[in-house]
Amino acid sequence: MLASQGDEPDAGALDVLGSLCTAIVDRGMADTVGNARFARELCSKASAQRDPRLYSAHAGGTPTRQEMVTVLAWDIVAAHDELMEARRGGDAE
């Protein structure tokens, strides 16, 4: 899904993404998170997490094209945390 957005996950991002997906399945949460919808949201949010990271890292400079399309493990984890927090908040309402 990341590739369809024009993004390229690094090896660490692929490892984290695989681990998160495995954990979701192992915990029986696939129906709860909405299957493909959750994966799409996760990839979209991971790409969005990259932008402020690059801005902070390159304040006053310009990131390379490769940096602008690469999603890191940190981006995936931050996106996952954001999605899970939103879901917890939605459950409380």
Side-chain angles (χ1 to χ4, degrees):
M1 284 188 202
L2 286 168
S4 68
Q5 298 174 174
D7 296 316
E8 300 173 9
D10 74 350
L14 289 175
D15 289 343
V16 169
L17 192 54
S19 295
L20 290 173
C21 290
T22 298
I24 287 169
V25 171
D26 289 350
R27 293 180 187 149
M29 295 175 58
D31 289 335
T32 303
V33 298
N35 298 324
R37 183 183 74 234
F38 181 80
R40 281 191 305 274
E41 288 177 12
L42 182 63
C43 290
S44 176
K45 288 188 178 294
S47 297
Q49 290 290 336
R50 175 192 54 225
D51 298 337
R53 174 178 54 78
L54 287 177
Y55 180 78
S56 293
H58 293 280
T62 304
T64 66
R65 182 208 174 281
Q66 189 61 41
E67 288 174 313
M68 289 190 286
V69 299
T70 301
V71 174
L72 303 179
W74 184 92
D75 302 325
I76 300 288
V77 171
H80 178 264
D81 291 349
E82 182 182 336
L83 279 173
M84 296 312 288
E85 183 63 32
R87 290 187 185 285
R88 280 190 289 274
D91 291 343
E93 293 178 27

